Every structure is written in structure tokens, then in C-alpha cells.
Amino acid sequence: MAQEKKRFRELDVLKGVAIAMVLLGHSIIEYPVDLSEIPWCKYLHWFVSSVHMPLFFAISGYCFSFRGWKGYLDKKCRRILIPFLVFSVLGLLSRVLMPSMVNGSAQLSQALVSILTGGTHWFLYTLFLIFLIFPLVKVFFETDRTGLLCIAPLALLHFFGFWPKLFNLVNLVRYSFFFASGYYLKCLIARKPGTGEKLLRAVKHPVTILLGLAVWALLTQVRIRLDAATAEAALEDALAAEPQLGGFAFLLAKLAEAGEQIREGLTAEKLISLDAVAKFCAALAGIPAVVGLTLWFSRLRASRLFETAGQDSLQLYLFNGYLMTITRWLVVTRLHVHAPIVIIAANFFVMFFVSLAIIELIVKRVKLFRTLTGMV
């Protein structure tokens, strides 16, 4: 029993490290000053962002359990769907009513369509869909042979360049691999405890950690050189230039655009996305490195803070954008500070430490707040 408690504690610390990486990536703002144009800021953002979400989905898969639809659906709706809807509506109102305070504006119809396709809280949207689908296919990932036979095609689907953003299909396809891999690893360790011990020793080995960090860093540089995100940014700008479209017309335009993306993606030169390949390989190298470092770090007293952050990781994710809005307004707009390191440090401090204090001292003590933020 003591071993199980230690294992879960380390899992919370790992989630705390992962959410800290998310908040660090979000601290590199694009509004009202664009830090992403600064080379070292861009590198740091791409470095952490290639691993933190794959790691979260892998942890979610490892923690996945299913004992019947009734209790399962109720828990997932209270844990994920309610916070997604609540904070998506808050984000919608912010963009419609206070566009000068947030990064961009939107008409009400476009914002509603955005919610239906994930929007800014796409992580919760994607995770909820995976949780709905996975009980139907989980049996295929519970044995050695069928598990590998199913995981391998999911890995290959990463590399195709024709997945449209509509209904968040691209994220659903790509992150399903990490979720399924986490669940497969959990089943493997349950069947063969000795294998789990060997894996833990392997990821904690200094050579594994250093090699993973080196490959992760190198592939981040490769991704920056490829810079396949340029085309996506141009596409988003083109869509933003058509605010006159109503909700239904906007959705039809997105459908037509998705079809065009698939058609173009199926051409030989665009069938495989090199950026997706590099990002996928960076995640495979970075996740073991982060896990290995976390296993060493979890022995230190300082890891208790990250253990708490891991337990509150969902709430930290929900609050970070709103607190960052205040920070960047105060630091950049009011105090006229434009030093990148100061802006990033201020954003991270508020989103991590201040948000954690608010969650622990206020949110957890009010039932309504606990319900709205998915504390079940």
C-alpha cells in the first residue's frame, strides 16, 4: 500500500511539472507585444509545447478506468464538460465585450462555432471526446499483441498533413496515440510488474535523460527551421478577415475549407507533414526525459509544491488565461515593461503561484466554485 501511495504522489508531481510547462509556454505572449518573434522565446515556446500536452494525454490514459457508463459519464461531465462550457462562455463574452483586453475579437456567431469545435480550451474538448470513445475500444489495448497493433497505426496517423482543424479532428487523431499509449503502459505494468520496475529504472538513468533532452532540443530546432506553422497562421488570418459571415455561413465556410485542406493534403508532396513528424519524435524523446527528471525531483521537499499543482492542474489550466490578461495589461500596458524575461517571469509567477493560492484559499472552500471548475 505504501508503494501505491508513493506512485500516485509521483504522478501528481509529474502533472504539476506538466502544468508548469503549459503555463511557461503561455507566458510567451503575442499580445500586446509579440514575444514569439524573438528567437530564444520562440525556441522556448516550441520546446515546451511539443511535450506538455502529449504528456498530459499520456497521464490521462494511464489513469483511465471504466466500470460502467452511468457513473463514468457523470464524472466526466462534471470533471471536464462543465468547466469547458463555463470557461468557453466566459472566453466568448471576453472576446465579444472586451476585445481590447484579450488577444483578438470575434462576432458572437463565430465565437459560438469556435466553442463547438474546441476553441481556446481545445484540450478539454479533445480529452472529453477521447473519454467518450475510448471505452468502446479499450479492450484492444489491454494485451501485448493487439495493443501494439492498434497503437502503431495511431502513431502513423500523426504524420499525415491533411487533417483539418474543423471539429478539432487533428488534435483528436494525434493525441489519441498518447492517451492509448498511457493506458497500454498501465495494462502492461499490471500484467508484468517486473517490466514496470525495469522501465522506471530506464527512464531514471542519466543517459536516458540526457539523450532525451538532446534529441528533444535538436528536433525543436528542426521544427523551427521547417516552420510549417506559417501556412496555418496565414489561413487563420484569412478566416479572421471575414467577420461578416453569420454562424451557419461561417460553419459552411469552415466545412468547405476543411475539404480543401484534405484535397491538398492528399497530394504527394503534402501527404506527410514533416513538422508533425518532428513534433511527434520530439514528444517521444521529451516525455521520458521529463518523467525521469520528475522521478529524481520528487524526492526533494520542493516537489510538494508541484504535487499540489498537479492536484489542481485542471484549475490552473482554466484560470491561466484570465490572470495573464491582468498581468500583461499591468506589466506591458501600464508599466511599459517590454523586457521579454520580465514579462515571461511576471506571467508565470501570477499564473502559477497566485493562481495556486486562489485555488487553495478560495475556490476549494466554495461549493459553487468547485462545481464550475470541475473539482469532483
Side-chain angles (χ1 to χ4, degrees), residues 81-97:
L81 186 59
I82 289 177
F84 168 73
L85 293 176
V86 169
F87 281 82
S88 293
V89 169
L90 289 176
L92 180 155
L93 294 176
S94 299
R95 289 183 177 277
V96 173
L97 302 177

Side-chain angles (χ1 to χ4, degrees), residues 144-160:
D144 293 348
R145 181 174 299 180
T146 60
L148 290 176
L149 289 176
C150 293
I151 287 175
L154 286 176
L156 294 177
L157 291 177
H158 266 77
F159 306 152
F160 295 136

Side-chain angles (χ1 to χ4, degrees), residues 26-41:
H26 289 180
S27 298
I28 304 171
I29 59 175
E30 297 181 0
Y31 176 85
V33 293
D34 190 356
L35 300 184
S36 66
E37 295 299 321
I38 301 173
W40 73 266
C41 292

Side-chain angles (χ1 to χ4, degrees), residues 181-204:
S181 297
Y183 183 67
Y184 174 77
L185 179 62
K186 174 184 178 179
C187 295
L188 178 65
I189 292 175
R191 292 193 307 271
K192 304 175 180 178
T195 301
E197 294 296 327
K198 292 179 181 178
L199 286 174
L200 285 176
R201 288 197 297 269
V203 296
K204 287 175 61 176

